[in-house]
Amino acid sequence: MADGGDVNHVIVKAARTHGVRLEFDFAGVLRASGGDRVQALRGLRKLRELVEHYDAPFVVSGRPASHLHVRSPRELVAVGAEIGFTDAQVRAGLREWTHLAARNRRRLSAEFIAPGVKRGRYEEDP
């Protein structure tokens, strides 16, 4: 939804089908004020409704630009409550980054020749 973009049911269903995580970026709520903050909350609420309805995977972030922007899980849970998330949902969205990092480490290992092409039993090491 950044830069005036929009998310609809087609995108959310495709993300669920292909295992792509949708990101709930709380930066707009954490660092904006007034009408911009209200618009950010409205967009995140709409996205939450779509993600819950289609049971799509998601991650939660605060997109810190510096060490001064880093927020604790407790603060992110508070923002998530304003959007309509439960504490457990926000914490699960934060934990999802761990799974993505592990998957990416495995994909970047020597086990893969190219994206989607894994070394097999007949593949010789050069």
Side-chain angles (χ1 to χ4, degrees):
M1 298 210 191
D3 300 326
D6 197 16
V7 176
N8 58 28
H9 68 284
V10 175
I11 294 171
V12 174
K13 285 172 28 178
R16 183 194 65 207
T17 302
H18 298 289
V20 175
R21 274 76 172 168
L22 295 163
E23 180 182 11
F24 284 89
D25 181 10
F26 291 174
V29 177
L30 293 169
R31 290 186 272 289
S33 62
D36 292 336
R37 180 177 283 173
V38 171
Q39 292 298 323
L41 281 168
R42 182 176 294 141
L44 290 170
R45 284 182 184 135
K46 175 187 172 189
L47 182 59
R48 182 195 54 82
E49 289 173 4
L50 288 169
V51 164
E52 282 187 348
H53 185 268
Y54 292 103
D55 194 31
F58 66 93
V59 294
V60 172
S61 73
R63 195 170 35 103
S66 76
H67 67 284
L68 300 173
H69 290 161
V70 175
R71 297 291 179 242
S72 70
R74 181 178 179 190
E75 291 171 315
L76 295 177
V77 165
V79 173
E82 291 301 315
I83 295 166
F85 277 126
T86 64
D87 294 1
Q89 287 173 315
V90 174
R91 291 181 190 280
L94 291 170
R95 274 192 309 273
E96 192 62 29
W97 287 109
T98 307
H99 303 296
L100 287 174
R103 183 195 69 186
N104 289 344
R105 269 190 223 101
R106 187 176 52 79
R107 286 184 178 174
L108 292 173
S109 71
E111 180 181 348
F112 283 85
I113 298 170
V117 182
K118 202 172 179 181
R119 289 193 186 275
R121 60 183 176 168
Y122 300 111
E123 185 67 33
E124 293 181 14
D125 228 359

